[in-house]
Amino acid sequence: MKKYILILFLLMFTQFSAQDKVTSVMTLSEYLGYVKTYHPIVKQANLAINNSEAKLLKARGAFDPKIEVDFDKKQFKEKEYYNKLNGAFKIPTYYGLEFKANFENNSGEFLSPEANVPTDGLYAAGVSASLLKGLLINKRMAALKQAKFFINQAREDQQILVNEILYTASLSYFNWLKTYNEKLVYDDFLENAVIRFSNTKRAFEEGDKAAIDTLEAGITLNNRKLNLEKARIKLVKASLELSNFLWLNDNTPVELQDNIIPDISTIQNVDTTFNIALFNDANFDLNNHPKIRSLEYKIQSLNIDRKLKMNNLLPKLDVQYNFLTQTPRQSNSLIVDNYKAGINFKLPIFLRKERGDLKLAKIKLQDAKLENEATKVTIKNKVNAVQQELESFIVQSNYISTIVNDYGTLLKAEERKFFLGESSLFLVNYRESKLIETKLKAIDVENKFFKSKANLFKAAVISIAE
């Protein structure tokens, strides 16, 4: 597949002379494949996942072991006031526990009595814990859990954003196809107008037609040229719009060349390209929709925040206990008689800040749940509406095809009567104008049908094949 796409773009960029240009068809599948692979906004969407992964790495860093060294020395007028060294190795755990190993060695003439330690230093090993607030959930635990939800949410949001880009790009392709088909119509009927004008002029010169018929044929010819020129400039504008979505791997924009044309048989493979060939409204599971999954991850993250705020209502009770020894290599030196312990208790009287934070967290959580329910209804109704619209366009397409065939039959009959001298050029031009009008309507109906397919692809956030 990549080989054929490469060949396509080689054709697009190779400079040919006008007579040597080879027409190449760019299908919807090839076009969307390049958009999905190289468009800058698609790459930008991938950065959202990288950003969430970096935040997850940052959150995990809160549980990294730490080495701390604190050295403090004061010397004045040849006196060593103090020389204090304190080194520690800390291992934080998932719950509110932290293990710690410590070495302390102090000397000097003016040390505080509590800082006096044996000559070879004092070793400590112990644990600190939050027994109430921060035991089952704390900021580090909440940040890690939320980071995991954020990375999952980012994946869903990335899929939605890529789907949005592909949807917009497909509309540009369908507009390009529409303007190309309109130009083909005017090309065909310009050729008819040229032949009719030439025949009418020759008939006038031979005395079989009046001069007014030549004038009318000339007016019709100029009208066809005018319409063709309008169609041509519309095609140029549509091609430039399409080029907005074409990029190379090195972020170089691509300008669509004149020898690249759309696939006029797109209607046969649009379902396969959008991966909606087997889509069934009845089996559509809203819970698997990326937008709903994204909101579910958001709700779970907000629920973690609510639990954290609820935990903050508890009193703070931090305790620590450390065994002390000056001979750490002797296993029996760690005895309960030599220790350093502490308790820290804290409780705000009114808890107004904590109660306010909890209330705000509950409001955010309820808001997200309501958004989730409303989004489910919106997506379901949107998918249902698009499905009914597609069914209607199938009916409209059948009607317009019949009308086009009937107008074509009328035009052929009128041309035959005109050839036999039983009709006028005015009636032939009238029949032809109605046929042109109807063909353009058929192209417009087909374009709206394609847009509805794209809307279904967007509403259901379906992933296209790689």
Side-chain angles (χ1 to χ4, degrees):
M1 180 64 182
K2 291 183 178 179
K3 177 181 177 181
Y4 293 120
I5 295 177
L6 178 61
I7 293 174
L8 168 67
F9 269 81
L10 286 174
L11 288 172
M12 290 174 63
F13 292 110
T14 303
Q15 297 296 322
F16 295 104
S17 61
Q19 65 270 21
D20 292 333
K21 280 193 175 181
V22 179
T23 300
S24 180
V25 176
M26 181 168 66
T27 66
L28 177 63
S29 177
E30 291 171 336
Y31 166 68
L32 293 183
Y34 254 85
V35 174
K36 187 175 181 179
T37 304
Y38 298 120
H39 197 280
I41 296 183
V42 175
K43 294 181 179 179
Q44 186 180 10
N46 295 330
L47 292 179
I49 297 179
N50 296 337
N51 183 60
S52 298
E53 289 174 344
K55 289 182 178 179
L56 177 59
L57 181 63
K58 179 181 177 181
R60 285 175 173 160
F63 298 93
D64 289 344
K66 296 177 178 65
I67 296 177
E68 297 179 359
V69 177
D70 184 13
F71 178 73
D72 197 9
K73 181 177 181 177
K74 181 178 179 181
Q75 185 164 338
F76 182 67
K77 292 184 178 180
E78 298 182 356
K79 286 186 179 181
E80 187 182 69
Y81 278 62
Y82 55 79
N83 190 335
K84 296 187 289 186
L85 174 64
N86 195 329
F89 178 67
K90 298 178 180 179
I91 303 176
T93 63
Y94 188 69
Y95 293 98
L97 296 174
E98 183 176 82
F99 296 97
K100 179 180 178 181
N102 188 77
F103 172 73
E104 186 178 4
N105 193 359
N106 306 319
S107 62
E109 297 182 27
F110 299 100
L111 280 176
S112 299
E114 66 176 11
N116 288 322
V117 295
T119 304
D120 294 332
L122 186 65
Y123 296 86
V127 62
S128 61
S130 298
L131 298 183
L132 294 176
K133 178 181 177 181
L135 177 62
L136 298 179
I137 187 169
N138 52 51
K139 287 185 177 180
R140 291 183 304 185
M141 294 166 60
L144 181 57
K145 288 182 177 180
Q146 288 179 325
K148 291 178 180 178
F149 289 136
F150 286 153
I151 194 170
N152 290 328
Q153 184 178 356
R155 289 193 180 101
E156 304 300 335
D157 292 340
Q158 185 256 4
Q159 184 178 344
I160 294 172
L161 182 55
V162 171
N163 180 273
E164 180 73 27
I165 293 298
L166 294 178
Y167 164 77
T168 307
S170 67
L171 294 185
S172 294
Y173 184 92
F174 296 145
N175 184 50
W176 180 45
L177 176 60
K178 176 187 175 185
T179 55
Y180 177 78
N181 284 332
E182 288 176 345
K183 183 177 179 297
L184 288 182
V185 170
Y186 287 119
D187 274 332
D188 290 341
F189 285 98
L190 174 62
E191 185 177 350
N192 292 343
V194 170
I195 294 173
R196 193 174 297 124
F197 175 75
S198 177
N199 291 339
T200 304
K201 183 178 179 181
R202 186 168 58 252
F204 165 71
E205 292 171 350
E206 294 174 355
D208 293 335
K209 296 291 182 181
I212 194 68
D213 289 334
T214 304
L215 178 61
E216 184 172 354
I219 292 174
T220 301
L221 176 60
N222 287 327
N223 274 329
R224 299 289 183 265
K225 289 181 179 179
L226 176 62
N227 291 333
L228 178 59
E229 178 59 22
K230 289 180 179 179
R232 187 193 67 81
I233 198 63
K234 283 177 64 178
L235 179 60
V236 170
K237 292 172 65 177
S239 299
L240 291 174
E241 180 185 346
L242 188 80
S243 298
N244 292 334
F245 297 93
L246 291 175
W247 296 74
L248 294 180
N249 192 28
D250 57 351
N251 295 330
T252 303
V254 176
E255 184 175 341
L256 196 68
Q257 300 299 301
D258 294 339
N259 61 307
I260 306 299
I261 63 174
D263 181 13
I264 59 176
S265 62
T266 299
I267 196 168
Q268 298 174 7
N269 50 43
V270 63
D271 285 353
T272 303
T273 301
F274 280 144
N275 204 18
I276 56 176
L278 300 177
F279 182 83
N280 190 334
D281 191 15
N283 297 329
F284 179 55
D285 188 1
L286 274 174
N287 293 322
N288 288 328
H289 192 280
K291 180 63 176 179
I292 301 303
R293 289 202 298 259
S294 175
L295 288 173
E296 288 291 346
Y297 288 126
K298 179 181 178 181
I299 290 172
Q300 293 180 59
S301 177
L302 290 173
N303 195 43
I304 293 297
D305 187 60
R306 179 191 63 83
K307 290 180 179 179
L308 178 63
K309 298 299 190 294
M310 184 178 294
N311 184 264
N312 287 341
L313 295 175
L314 296 175
K316 179 181 180 181
L317 179 59
D318 294 343
V319 298
Q320 61 171 325
Y321 184 90
N322 296 277
F323 293 100
L324 301 178
T325 181
Q326 64 184 98
T327 55
R329 291 182 175 85
Q330 298 178 12
S331 59
N332 60 355
S333 66
L334 297 175
I335 59 176
V336 295
D337 291 337
N338 300 325
Y339 67 89
K340 180 181 178 182
I343 297 178
N344 183 7
F345 181 80
K346 181 179 179 181
L347 175 64
I349 300 298
F350 299 110
L351 293 170
R352 285 181 289 197
K353 178 180 180 300
E354 290 76 8
R355 288 189 288 116
D357 286 341
L358 177 59
K359 189 173 183 179
L360 289 173
K362 288 181 177 180
I363 291 173
K364 289 181 180 179
L365 181 59
Q366 184 65 20
D367 180 70
K369 288 181 178 179
L370 292 174
E371 181 185 1
N372 189 31
E373 294 301 319
T375 303
K376 284 183 179 180
V377 174
T378 301
I379 293 174
K380 183 178 180 181
N381 290 338
K382 186 177 293 185
V383 170
N384 186 30
V386 172
Q387 288 283 66
Q388 294 189 36
E389 190 176 42
L390 285 171
E391 293 175 3
S392 175
F393 278 129
I394 292 174
V395 175
Q396 293 180 44
S397 179
N398 292 333
Y399 285 141
I400 199 71
S401 295
T402 302
I403 295 172
V404 168
N405 291 333
D406 291 345
Y407 269 122
T409 302
L410 283 175
L411 176 60
K412 289 180 180 178
E414 203 66 49
E415 286 178 334
R416 192 158 45 247
K417 291 171 63 177
F418 177 72
F419 179 76
L420 297 174
E422 299 176 1
S423 182
S424 65
L425 186 60
F426 171 79
L427 286 176
V428 172
N429 289 335
Y430 174 78
R431 300 293 190 199
E432 188 177 68
S433 296
K434 297 301 291 185
L435 179 58
I436 294 174
E437 179 184 337
T438 309
K439 282 195 170 186
L440 294 178
K441 284 183 179 179
I443 293 172
D444 188 59
V445 169
E446 182 187 63
N447 180 256
K448 290 179 179 178
F449 178 74
F450 285 145
K451 287 182 178 179
S452 294
K453 291 287 186 179
N455 285 331
L456 178 59
F457 168 75
K458 178 186 176 183
V461 191
I462 300 171
S463 298
I464 64 173
E466 294 290 343

